[in-house]
Amino acid sequence: MRNPSLLGTSTTSKSTPCCSKVGIKRGPWTPEEDEVLANYIKREGEGRWRTLPKRAGLLRCGKSCRLRWMNYLRPSVKRGRIAPDEEDLILRLHRLLGNRWSLIAGRIPGRTDNEIKNYWNTHLSKKLISQGIDPRTHKPLNLVSHASSQANHDPVPKSHPNPPHSNSSELGEKSITITTQDFKPTNQENHQQYQSQHVVDNSMANWYNAEGASATHIMGQPSSSHGNEGDYIENYNEDMFSSFLDSLINDNYLFVNQQQQPQPQPQPNNVVADAASADQNFMSHGNIWEAEIMSSMVPFGNEQNSFNNHHQHHRP
DNA sequence: AACCAGCGCAACCGCCAACGG
DNA sequence: ACCGTTGGCGGTTGCGCTGGT
């Protein structure tokens, strides 16, 4: 935790842009502050964080209030240890999504992105390393030692931290727009990252097509304004991505695996319940997934071909 | 009992995208 | 089109706890 202080009374000269006002309190929250914040939000609702502290009578910055509410005070926040099935889920999602904690958290009821991030950094990354697995790439360390020196695992370049879908519970009807340009690497180092992300995108498109949508619908039309092959827009909506992730989590969707037999229908909105069985399946299929990912990678500009070639898998 | 090192996690920071005027 | 505000994200920090010596 940070050094508790009142800004303006602290001797540090470091600027704090978010809480730059004199008299703003920092550091751990007291039970009294928690109560004030919780009561206020219950009464007035979330939002308008910048002005909330003043309205609620708290000597905190809005950002701090939001963080405290989101990560600790929200009634939906689950306290306590991460269960084994949750851990499996985190591992699986991280393998797919990289360090996109909010997206991972969105698939694990009651857990916050901060909690998952901490758990990953303190437990899971070490666990994987002890097993000889690179926590960033989920590949054996001896195989990635060279690659990791060239590329960071995060499938999405830093300039695009937000995934196609960021928070399923809050986006509502928003559609997600992704351009392939968004994921194009700026240099050779990022090429592998791009490809990994692209596989997920393609896989989602494949899955969606198997659900009955047309390829042009999901993948969008080629952009005449850009004129570059592959520069089309992909429009995924909230439900599509949510279902896509569910299918991945429940191991009912192996990337473009045309030989995969239909799996039992997963329970909707209950990703944890099926995690234990899914994990067993996942563990046994882990290498297959890896192979499928690699085999489904396509060069830039061939996305549509890949899409058309691999849409035969049917989710049950 | 005292000290120390390592760990866990709450909180902060900087950045970015979305939005509205 | 521009600019300021707001909300949200991932990375990082450092306090306090715990176990070992």
Side-chain angles (χ1 to χ4, degrees):
Chain A
M1 272 164 281
R2 301 305 180 86
N3 186 29
S5 65
L6 281 175
L7 284 168
T9 61
S10 169
T11 55
T12 176
S13 61
K14 184 170 182 175
S15 66
T16 52
C18 158
C19 315
S20 56
K21 286 182 181 174
V22 172
I24 296 297
K25 193 182 174 192
R26 301 175 64 199
W29 281 66
T30 65
E32 291 76 22
E33 288 177 310
D34 283 345
E35 190 178 352
V36 169
L37 179 60
N39 286 339
Y40 181 84
I41 292 178
K42 279 174 193 167
R43 204 170 57 242
E44 305 291 335
E46 297 180 33
R48 295 185 291 167
W49 296 107
R50 187 79 71 168
T51 57
L52 185 147
K54 188 175 182 179
R55 288 182 280 120
L58 287 164
L59 293 174
R60 294 277 181 171
C61 72
K63 235 178 181 181
S64 183
C65 291
R66 179 189 161 273
L67 203 65
R68 185 63 179 173
W69 174 254
M70 293 296 194
N71 289 340
Y72 196 84
L73 295 176
R74 259 192 311 175
S76 59
V77 171
K78 190 195 292 181
R79 315 300 306 172
R81 296 176 62 86
I82 303 280
D85 53 352
E86 290 177 305
E87 181 178 309
D88 296 336
L89 205 46
I90 293 168
L91 280 166
R92 220 168 302 147
L93 286 165
H94 187 274
R95 177 172 171 156
L96 282 165
L97 303 168
N99 293 358
R100 287 181 288 181
W101 308 115
S102 66
L103 183 54
I104 294 172
R107 311 305 306 175
I108 305 176
R111 300 297 183 183
T112 68
D113 54 351
N114 208 35
E115 190 175 12
I116 290 169
K117 178 172 59 182
N118 284 333
Y119 190 73
W120 179 269
N121 289 332
T122 57
H123 293 92
L124 293 182
S125 64
K126 291 168 188 171
K127 185 177 179 181
L128 288 181
I129 288 171
S130 73
Q131 294 172 351
I133 298 170
D134 189 301
R136 292 177 304 163
T137 63
H138 294 256
K139 291 181 169 63
L141 276 167
N142 58 346
L143 292 180
V144 299
S145 59
H146 175 67
S148 62
S149 66
Q150 298 180 349
N152 188 333
H153 164 61
D154 193 342
V156 176
K158 272 201 164 185
S159 58
H160 298 279
N162 292 329
H165 163 287
S166 60
N167 190 329
S168 61
S169 64
E170 294 174 9
L171 281 178
E173 295 299 316
K174 282 184 181 176
S175 65
I176 301 109
T177 301
I178 313 159
T179 65
T180 54
Q181 189 70 40
D182 286 341
F183 295 113
K184 281 185 179 175
T186 54
N187 51 38
Q188 179 126 15
E189 287 77 16
N190 288 331
H191 190 82
Q192 190 176 352
Q193 303 172 25
Y194 168 75
Q195 287 190 324
S196 296
Q197 177 62 47
H198 210 65
V199 167
V200 174
D201 293 341
N202 279 334
S203 298
M204 179 182 171
N206 298 341
W207 168 82
Y208 184 79
N209 197 39
E211 290 291 294
S214 72
T216 51
H217 182 194
I218 180 152
M219 301 302 283
Q221 299 293 340
S223 171
S224 57
S225 61
H226 290 88
N228 296 328
E229 187 179 10
D231 260 1
Y232 47 79
I233 305 297
E234 300 168 12
N235 288 305
Y236 303 142
N237 71 31
E238 154 73 16
D239 292 337
M240 287 159 55
F241 195 81
S242 183
S243 299
F244 170 67
L245 276 180
D246 277 343
S247 69
L248 289 172
I249 291 161
N250 288 298
D251 200 22
N252 289 313
Y253 181 81
L254 295 185
F255 293 98
V256 294
N257 188 347
Q258 298 176 27
Q259 297 169 350
Q260 179 72 14
Q261 295 301 312
Q263 301 289 320
Q265 177 70 41
Q267 294 300 313
N269 302 322
N270 190 5
V271 294
V272 178
D274 200 38
S277 60
D279 177 62
Q280 189 177 1
N281 202 1
F282 172 77
M283 296 304 282
S284 62
H285 285 87
N287 292 334
I288 298 175
W289 280 38
E290 205 62 46
E292 291 292 344
I293 291 171
M294 298 308 291
S295 67
S296 62
M297 285 183 173
V298 292
F300 299 148
N302 289 342
E303 294 88 348
Q304 193 72 49
N305 289 339
S306 173
F307 173 79
N308 289 334
N309 287 342
H310 297 297
H311 67 270
Q312 297 172 19
H313 172 75
H314 293 275
R315 211 172 63 131

